[in-house]
């Protein structure tokens, strides 16, 4: 089968992590007989430099024609002082809204090979793990196209005050909760809604919607936590969580926190789903946007020291969710695991700052090559 992939390498380390990911995809294509055609597009800082806008209309239009989108990272210090609507990050928000990808899946799992890169003590991990192992495996389902990120904002006439608005409709909450429930159904069947219902009206509304939607998923245990408590529970007992469903802002914050527990933010992939497929396109698979959750890391850009695994794992999520290629997705995830088993580490995942005897530090390029070599059909 042929698949078209919109590719947005973006800024900073973006191109360095995208390249190994596309090489892994091509290796998958070679082994399983798929063809991935890339349509390279500009968004973020590089698009500001070449066109004056972070998300040129033609990037969005071209992305909509593709079967899925793989993005590296956007942003950098040279664009930091631009007004809000011209910052590189606007490209991300424009793509998310423009593709209608309202549900952002951010899995955070502690791989046993990276135990030493996780800052938590054994007893903290073990106490909340149902099998008594120093492990956790959770999934944050973050609402991605509403809330504070997209609410009304502005300044007062005298310039002495500013505001942003958290606003959610019933439908926006319901559809993302459903994504959460469906994910929980094929995991450990627990869904925790994270909000701030002791203070915010919009959070109380989330709970009302959850009370209704949860009735349709009687096999799934629904619970609720205030976000401050959830932030604490994540570092106190991460093993208690299966799926966390939450708003755009809370999901942004909690996913960065969870990433550190997996060893490095460089490990975490994400999938943004829910968009309507352009009916003119061939394969009929839902459009999805895939990106590592890390940023453009300008301080390490161009040095071949970035971790490409978050992007490679994002490509695996693309195989699974956009193309329905479960075996191929698993093979990529297994190859990543095998590369870690072999002791290969980018700098960020070397055991807590010290390189252990059985670890070899490699660059983004070499890590990608190792994953390809270890890919098994
Ligand atoms: C993320 C990022 C973005 C967000 C930024 C870069 C706009 O932090 O994807 O988590 O806040 O959504
Ligand atoms: Mg973030």
């Amino acid at each position: 089968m042929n698949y078209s992939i919109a590719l947005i390498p973006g800024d900073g380390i973006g191109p360095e992590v995208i390249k190994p990911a596309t090489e892994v995809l091509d290796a998958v294509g070679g082994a399983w007989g798929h063809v991935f055609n890339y349509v390279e597009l500009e968004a973020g800082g590089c698009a500001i430099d070449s066109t004056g806008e972070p998300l040129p209309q033609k990037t969005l239009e071209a992305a909509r024609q593709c079967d899925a989108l793989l993005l590296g990272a956007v942003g950098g210090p040279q664009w930091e002082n631009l007004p809000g609507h011209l910052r590189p990050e606007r490209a991300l928000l424009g793509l998310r809204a423009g593709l209608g990808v309202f549900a952002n899946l951010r899995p955070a799992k502690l791989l046993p090979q990276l135990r030493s890169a996780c800052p938590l003590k054994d007893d903290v991990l073990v106490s909340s793990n149902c099998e008594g192992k120093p492990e956790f495996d959770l999934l944050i389902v973050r609402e991605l196209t509403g809330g504070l990120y997209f609410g009304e904002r502005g300044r007062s006439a005298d310039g002495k005050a500013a505001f942003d608005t958290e606003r959610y409709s019933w439908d926006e909450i319901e559809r993302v909760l459903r994504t959460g429930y469906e994910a929980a159904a094929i995991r450990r069947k627990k869904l925790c809604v994270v909000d701030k219902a002791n203070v915010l009206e919009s959070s109380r509304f989330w709970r009302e919607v959850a009370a209704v939607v949860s009735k349709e998923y009687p096999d799934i245990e629904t619970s609720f936590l205030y976000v401050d408590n959830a932030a604490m529970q994540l570092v106190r007992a991460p093993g208690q969580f299966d799926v966390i469903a939450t708003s755009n802002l809370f999901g942004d914050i909690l996913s960065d926190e969870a990433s550190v527990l997996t060893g490095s933010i460089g490990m975490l992939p994400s999938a943004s789903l829910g968009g309507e497929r352009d009916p003119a396109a061939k394969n009929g698979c839902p459009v999805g946007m895939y990106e590592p959750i890390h940023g453009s890391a300008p301080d390490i850009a161009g040095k071949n020291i970035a971790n490409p695994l978050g992007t490679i794992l994002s490509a695996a999520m693309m195989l699974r969710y956009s193309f329905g290629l479960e075996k191929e997705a698993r093979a990529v995830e297994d190859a990543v695991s095998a590369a870690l088993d072999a002791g290969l580490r980018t700098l960020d995942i070397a055991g807590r700052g010290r390189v252990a005897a059985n670890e070899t530090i490699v660059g983004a390029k070499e890590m990608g090559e190792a994953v390809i070599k270890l890919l098994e059909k």
Side-chain angles (χ1 to χ4, degrees):
M1 188 97 148
N2 280 17
Y3 300 94
S4 60
I5 299 176
L7 211 58
I8 302 188
D11 310 313
I13 59 170
E16 289 164 66
V17 293
I18 282 287
K19 188 151 189 287
T22 55
E23 288 167 357
V24 169
L25 282 172
D26 290 338
V28 166
W32 274 270
H34 310 297
V35 177
F36 300 111
N37 296 310
Y38 305 104
V39 181
E40 192 160 329
L41 303 169
E42 262 185 358
C46 56
I48 297 175
D49 289 347
S50 68
T51 71
E53 2 168 37
L55 181 61
Q57 188 59 26
K58 76 169 200 269
T59 292
L60 182 57
E61 273 161 22
R64 294 176 101 121
Q65 301 303 316
C66 292
D67 296 322
L69 164 64
L70 185 63
L71 183 140
V74 297
Q78 62 272 55
W79 304 288
E80 232 149 55
N81 295 322
L82 292 170
H85 67 287
L86 284 178
R87 288 179 59 117
E89 290 80 2
R90 291 303 307 174
L92 275 185
L93 304 191
L95 283 165
R96 290 168 180 174
L99 298 174
V101 286
F102 58 81
N104 182 216
L105 272 46
R106 298 191 162 189
K109 181 176 173 172
L110 179 56
L111 300 174
Q113 302 95 321
L114 297 186
R115 172 66 192 93
S116 64
C118 166
L120 298 183
K121 294 186 179 147
D122 257 0
D123 58 317
V124 172
L125 290 170
V126 167
S127 68
S128 60
N129 179 280
C130 56
E131 292 168 29
K133 293 187 183 155
E135 289 171 10
F136 65 86
D137 176 2
L138 61 91
L139 172 71
I140 297 178
V141 177
R142 169 188 179 194
E143 198 291 324
L144 202 62
T145 52
L148 265 182
Y149 276 59
F150 291 92
E152 199 190 330
R153 61 171 57 99
R155 301 274 172 121
S156 62
D158 64 3
K160 289 194 173 151
F163 66 96
D164 297 273
T165 320
E166 177 86 337
R167 184 194 168 94
Y168 271 113
S169 71
W170 184 286
D171 290 350
E172 284 176 312
I173 301 167
E174 179 176 338
R175 64 188 184 180
V176 76
L177 286 176
R178 285 189 190 282
T179 306
Y181 277 113
E182 277 151 30
I186 51 171
R187 293 174 49 98
R188 298 194 309 280
K189 299 197 164 33
K190 294 202 296 184
L191 180 110
C192 179
V193 178
V194 169
D195 58 34
K196 188 69 187 171
N198 49 348
V199 177
L200 304 178
E201 193 55 33
S202 52
S203 287
R204 287 191 275 273
F205 196 52
W206 270 72
R207 288 203 180 197
E208 263 173 63
V209 179
V212 172
V213 177
S214 63
K215 292 209 176 77
E216 289 179 43
Y217 301 90
D219 298 349
I220 315 262
E221 176 197 320
T222 305
S223 60
F224 298 91
L225 272 186
Y226 299 143
V227 64
D228 48 351
N229 189 6
M232 179 178 73
Q233 295 299 333
L234 267 177
V235 290
R236 223 197 111 251
Q240 71 185 281
F241 294 108
D242 181 18
V243 176
I244 291 175
T246 191
S247 65
N248 207 339
L249 182 71
F250 295 160
D252 178 47
I253 297 168
L254 294 180
S255 59
D256 264 31
E257 186 187 3
S259 78
V260 176
L261 308 182
T262 68
S264 163
I265 193 167
M267 290 301 299
L268 257 62
S270 82
S272 303
L273 306 174
E276 298 262 307
R277 189 77 184 87
D278 182 334
K282 317 171 289 306
N283 292 329
C285 37
V287 91
M289 178 169 160
Y290 300 84
E291 50 180 321
I293 82 154
H294 63 70
S296 59
D299 51 326
I300 60 162
K303 298 185 181 159
N304 189 36
I305 56 175
N307 185 348
L309 294 179
T311 315
I312 291 173
L313 292 169
S314 299
M317 292 184 91
M318 169 187 287
L319 293 171
R320 171 173 298 124
Y321 292 110
S322 276
F323 307 154
L325 301 174
E326 177 62 29
K327 275 202 261 13
E328 290 85 334
R330 284 254 166 98
V332 172
E333 288 160 356
D334 289 347
V336 165
S337 189
L340 296 172
D341 280 339
L344 300 184
R345 302 283 187 272
T346 43
L347 266 181
D348 57 314
I349 47 174
R352 312 276 305 137
R354 267 171 295 118
V355 182
N358 56 350
E359 294 178 350
T360 313
I361 302 297
V362 294
K365 183 168 173 286
E366 294 72 28
M367 186 63 104
E369 288 164 0
V371 171
I372 291 172
K373 218 176 265 162
L374 294 161
L375 198 63
E376 274 180 31
K377 193 174 169 182

